[in-house]
């Protein structure tokens, strides 16, 4: 059985002591593929380097929690970010599979909503220009996220990562052609409507992810997360949808390859 973790942060400093060991274990022992996701200029560069070194996939993006304080600096960063995308596409396009994570987060940052929106919109435009899907982070910002997506269409759609358990978001997201990616919180005992949300997502639109090193699923909640734990998310989906673990592994693997347009 092989798994595809659609969203992990292997560049995170929590892996500084054993990054190589973990990556090799995920690939060799667990037969796991994964995308290491950028969230800032620095982490995007690191993600690309890791993808290059270990034959993985990466994304480039500036997350709503990593945008600079001033408009001037934000635009400098966005220009730099686009340059990084362009350079990667010219040198080795295969390992760059999406723009992200990008989006809006009004849970952690309420004072810079306009800057967040500007960054989100500009990065959707960059994704469209370079013909890439996007991966979206949204927290406490469902209405504004959907409004932007309806107005600034992401041509290749993409993924709602660690999808909030919000009916309207899932309904509208699916309508816009997006994939829904489930993470550790669906396994938490206090996850209110996780089952209902899982049932809303058709088999050909669901993805699994760890968001490592954060959000470890049960039974490893509270510990450092890594892509090997993605099987617990798959098991939860299998239980809710009455599928076997192997079926969920196969479906989510195929869906990840489709949304990220991975050929091999
Ligand atoms: Ni993430």
């Amino acid at each position: 059985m092989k798994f595809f973790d659609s969203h992990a942060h292997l560049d995170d400093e929590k892996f500084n002591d054993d990054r190589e060991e973990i990556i090799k274990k995920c690939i060799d022992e667990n037969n796991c593929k994964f995308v290491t996701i950028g969230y800032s200029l620095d982490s995007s560069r690191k993600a690309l380097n890791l993808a290059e070194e270990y034959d993985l996939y990466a994304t480039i993006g500036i997350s709503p929690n990593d945008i600079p304080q001033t408009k001037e600096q934000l635009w400098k960063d966005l220009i730099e970010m686009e340059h990084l995308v362009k350079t990667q596409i010219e040198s080795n396009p295969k390992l760059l599979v999406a723009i992200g994570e990008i989006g809006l987060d009004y849970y952690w940052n309420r004072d810079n909503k306009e800057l967040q929106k500007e960054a989100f919109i500009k990065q959707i435009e960059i994704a469209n220009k370079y013909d890439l899907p996007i991966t979206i982070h949204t927290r406490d910002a469902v209405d504004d996220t959907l409004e932007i997506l309806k107005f600034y269409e992401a041509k290749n759609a993409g993924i709602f990562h660690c999808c909030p358990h919000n009916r309207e978001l899932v309904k509208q997201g699916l309508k816009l052609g997006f994939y829904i990616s489930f993470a550790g919180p669906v396994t938490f005992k206090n996850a209110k409507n996780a089952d209902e949300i899982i049932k809303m997502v058709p088999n050909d639109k669901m993805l699994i992810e760890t968001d490592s090193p954060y959000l470890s699923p049960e039974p490893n909640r509270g510990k450092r997360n890594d892509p090997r734990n993605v099987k617990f998310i798959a098991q939860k989906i299998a239980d809710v949808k009455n599928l076997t673990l192997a079926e969920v592994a196969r479906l989510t693997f195929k869906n990840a390859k489709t949304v990220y347009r991975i050929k091999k």
Side-chain angles (χ1 to χ4, degrees), residues 7 9 101 161 211:
H7 189 116
H9 300 281
E101 53 187 283
H161 120 75
D211 208 13

Side-chain angles (χ1 to χ4, degrees), residues 121-133:
I121 292 165
K122 175 64 184 171
Q123 292 181 95
I124 293 172
E125 288 170 357
I126 292 171
N128 288 343
K129 183 169 166 188
Y130 293 94
D131 199 27
L132 288 163

Side-chain angles (χ1 to χ4, degrees), residues 116-178:
Q116 289 191 42
K117 286 183 196 171
E118 265 182 54
F120 186 25
I121 292 165
K122 175 64 184 171
Q123 292 181 95
I124 293 172
E125 288 170 357
I126 292 171
N128 288 343
K129 183 169 166 188
Y130 293 94
D131 199 27
L132 288 163
I134 59 175
T135 186
I136 298 177
H137 169 107
T138 180
R139 191 159 182 200
D140 284 5
V142 168
D143 291 348
D144 283 3
T145 302
L146 289 172
E147 198 183 327
I148 285 175
L149 289 173
K150 282 174 189 162
F151 207 79
Y152 300 90
E153 186 200 356
K155 263 195 327 191
N156 299 297
I159 299 163
F160 276 100
H161 120 75
C162 190
C163 189
H165 303 166
N166 177 302
R167 255 179 249 125
E168 190 59 16
L169 181 71
V170 171
K171 200 171 121 199
Q172 299 298 332
L174 288 168
K175 226 189 232 177
L176 291 164
F178 277 77

Side-chain angles (χ1 to χ4, degrees), residues 8-54:
H9 300 281
L10 269 301
D11 70 292
D12 194 279
E13 61 184 23
K14 291 194 172 65
F15 293 113
N16 280 358
D17 292 338
D18 58 357
R19 181 172 293 107
E20 174 152 8
E21 192 190 330
I22 293 288
I23 291 176
K24 287 193 168 151
K25 274 185 181 164
C26 295
I27 296 170
D28 300 339
E29 288 168 28
N30 215 49
N31 211 357
C32 187
K33 271 200 187 299
F34 48 91
V35 178
T36 188
I37 303 282
Y39 54 86
S40 64
L41 280 174
D42 188 42
S43 101
S44 299
R45 285 193 198 97
K46 286 182 185 155
L48 292 171
N49 289 338
L50 284 175
E52 194 92 54
E53 194 177 344
Y54 296 102

Side-chain angles (χ1 to χ4, degrees), residues 68 99 144 147 156 177 210 234 236 243-244 255:
I99 296 299
D144 283 3
E147 198 183 327
N156 299 297
T210 57
K236 168 72 185 184
L243 297 166
T244 63
N255 295 343

Side-chain angles (χ1 to χ4, degrees), residues 223-257:
K223 297 186 193 145
R224 184 185 70 173
N225 202 0
D226 75 56
R228 287 173 294 177
N229 285 328
V230 82
K231 60 177 180 282
F232 297 113
I233 325 279
Q235 185 62 58
K236 168 72 185 184
I237 294 174
D239 294 344
V240 172
K241 283 186 170 249
N242 251 326
L243 297 166
T244 63
L245 181 62
E247 280 170 326
V248 175
R250 185 183 59 77
L251 286 162
T252 49
F253 201 97
K254 183 166 171 263
N255 295 343
K257 282 179 73 178

